[in-house]
Amino acid sequence: MSIPSNLKTAFCCALAYTVLVAPCCAEDIPALFSTPTTTRTEWEAARRPQLIAQFERTMFGQTPRIDASNVRFERLEMSQDLLKGTACKQKIRIHYTVSGSTPTSFDVLAVYPKTAKPVPVFLEMSINYPGAYDETLTTPCSYWPAEQIVKRGYAALIFNYTNAAPDDAKAFFDWKAKTWKQAETPNTAPFSAISIWAWSISRVIDWIATEPAFDAQRIAVVGFSRGGKTALWAGAQDPRVALTISCCSGSGGAKLIHQALPQSETIEHLVTRFPHWFTPNYAAYAHREKEAPFDMHQLLALVAPRLLYISSATEDRWAGPEGEFASCLRAAPAWSLYTKTGFTAQTFPAANTPLHDASIGYHLRKGPHLLTEYDWHCYLDFADRHLK
Ligand code: GCU
């Protein structure tokens, strides 16, 4: 006897629901909206600010605030004859001083097509993976395929995260004490490294807005792994990020906290190995994930109604791909408040079948924890379709 195709589809949906969503029991996961009938006005005036405050308090700490007059841009290098004369390159240094503290700076590299019209931008915060990027563009590099990005009509900007703030607990706390003296408001959660890296992304966007070569309305921010966690926090807070792209961000990133997946990272792992990434309050949820009054679909929803892209990898069990996908499903209703379609997928996709038809893009790449050329093709295709 053959089974009718609508029954097969219903069975597949039920199976996917059981595998992906049910393990974290719908009722355990904190709601996205304060009431099921939330409107856009209520979301913007009340729920959204409440969720930002919640992520500051429980995960990332307060976002540093300094006056724009304390930030300055210095051009270190400019050349017009890159990539056989088709592209330009600039290197800039962003200087800032917090009152009473040691001045500091970090560098940004920009490569962009030589055109009369301002171009959209891909800004990456690079983490220290071997061969993460080559400033001379002579060695092809999958973490930052600048030449491909430029050929597709985008500017490729990059900065190294440890140049912006150290990624070692002791070095970070020492640096913060020297550089950010008196900048923290008492009685609020202390800044974390992720909050400072996300703040640095926003300072690069300040520079982008001053440069006529770039279209500041069309900025994509890209991050991989810990950089992907940071991209989400930057995209949630800075409305100038038109497309937030988070690759393999896992726990502390896109993966749902309430969804325990056997081989994936826990809060205990995160706060033990990387105590500086988060504000100290986050450690309270180690071994108590199910009691967390928040979850990561709420962070993803803070990007709405702007574009979001989450990608996972089949062998990246540590990041929990199913939990990254389930977060997208649960964040999608925030886009409906703006009469946009958040996500059309219902079931976990097969590997290498990108989902690009809604405001949240998603793909599951075959392979391990990496940022590859395939990922970049998908991001650029999604940007061609929705951002250009
Ligand atoms: C570790 C960490 C992850 C993180 C990754 C990375 O594996 O446990 O949470 O995403 O490093 O940033 O490379």
Side-chain angles (χ1 to χ4, degrees):
M1 192 185 72
S2 71
I3 302 171
S5 69
N6 57 346
L7 272 184
K8 275 191 202 156
T9 312
F11 175 75
C12 289
C13 288
L15 184 66
Y17 182 85
T18 317
V19 172
L20 289 168
V21 182
C24 41
C25 292
E27 59 282 8
D28 291 345
I29 300 186
L32 181 55
F33 298 142
S34 3
T35 68
T37 55
T38 285
T39 60
R40 176 177 161 179
T41 314
E42 192 274 341
W43 170 257
E44 287 179 358
R47 182 62 169 160
R48 192 177 191 289
Q50 185 189 47
L51 290 175
I52 292 269
Q54 167 195 270
F55 282 107
E56 283 193 351
R57 197 174 55 249
T58 55
M59 275 192 82
F60 302 116
Q62 55 186 288
T63 294
R65 288 185 216 294
I66 60 171
D67 200 277
S69 61
N70 294 325
V71 181
R72 170 172 75 80
F73 309 119
E74 177 193 6
R75 182 181 285 157
L76 301 177
E77 218 182 291
M78 165 91 187
S79 100
Q80 306 258 15
D81 57 2
L82 214 70
L83 303 177
K84 300 199 180 95
T86 61
C88 307
K89 174 175 163 183
Q90 282 196 55
K91 197 162 174 189
I92 62 134
R93 183 159 290 165
I94 301 184
H95 297 266
Y96 64 93
T97 317
V98 179
S99 118
S101 309
T102 313
T104 191
S105 67
F106 64 100
D107 294 351
V108 183
L109 178 67
V111 182
Y112 49 97
K114 208 188 266 179
T115 58
K117 255 180 53 196
V119 291
V121 176
F122 270 82
L123 163 61
E124 179 176 351
M125 184 185 88
S126 163
I127 63 171
N128 293 339
Y129 264 67
Y133 69 98
D134 168 23
E135 289 209 0
T136 64
L137 307 193
T138 42
T139 320
C141 157
S142 75
Y143 286 101
W144 190 55
E147 188 168 347
Q148 299 313 318
I149 301 170
V150 169
K151 276 194 181 143
R152 303 253 320 230
Y154 298 87
L157 271 64
I158 195 156
F159 71 95
N160 176 287
Y161 82 135
T162 46
N163 188 232
D167 185 11
D168 162 86
K170 183 174 178 320
F172 174 75
F173 292 121
D174 290 349
W175 174 85
K176 191 176 99 164
K178 275 197 233 123
T179 316
W180 288 91
K181 250 185 232 165
Q182 295 148 22
E184 276 173 333
T185 319
N187 308 322
T188 49
F191 312 155
S192 62
I194 288 183
S195 67
I196 294 196
W197 291 324
W199 179 89
S200 308
I201 289 175
S202 290
R203 302 295 67 78
V204 181
I205 296 178
D206 294 344
W207 175 68
I208 292 172
T210 67
E211 274 295 307
F214 307 136
D215 179 349
Q217 304 301 312
R218 292 182 294 160
I219 300 173
V221 163
V222 186
F224 163 63
S225 210
R226 63 199 74 182
K229 306 185 209 301
T230 306
L232 290 174
W233 186 223
Q237 296 179 94
D238 193 331
R240 298 171 300 174
V241 181
L243 164 59
T244 302
I245 304 175
S246 182
C247 173
C248 297
S249 60
S251 301
K255 185 201 160 271
L256 285 179
I257 296 173
H258 286 75
Q259 185 169 13
L261 293 167
Q263 290 154 286
S264 89
E265 187 171 27
T266 62
I267 293 180
E268 170 71 14
H269 290 127
L270 277 168
V271 297
T272 309
R273 293 174 61 212
F274 311 104
H276 57 300
W277 285 3
F278 302 96
T279 203
N281 291 339
Y282 188 49
Y285 302 103
H287 302 297
R288 290 178 47 223
E289 271 87 351
K290 298 266 180 240
E291 292 165 49
F294 59 97
D295 212 328
M296 305 316 284
H297 62 304
Q298 297 171 329
L299 180 67
L300 268 51
L302 292 171
V303 171
R306 292 166 286 124
L307 299 161
L308 174 66
Y309 199 114
I310 303 294
S311 69
S312 315
T314 50
E315 292 164 27
D316 192 6
R317 309 313 309 165
W318 188 238
E322 293 84 354
E324 296 176 320
F325 176 79
S327 246
C328 298
L329 280 178
R330 288 175 173 273
W335 277 262
S336 310
L337 300 175
Y338 296 85
T339 58
K340 292 192 173 214
T341 307
F343 206 43
T344 47
Q346 293 299 327
T347 56
F348 196 42
N352 293 13
T353 54
L355 307 169
H356 282 183
D357 57 354
S359 300
I360 308 176
Y362 179 86
H363 72 256
L364 170 71
R365 175 183 38 78
K366 236 182 234 153
H369 185 72
L370 289 173
L371 170 56
T372 68
E373 236 172 81
Y374 175 82
D375 296 314
W376 276 102
H377 277 299
C378 293
Y379 305 151
L380 289 161
D381 286 351
F382 185 80
D384 283 354
R385 183 159 164 190
H386 296 278
L387 187 69
K388 264 194 171 166

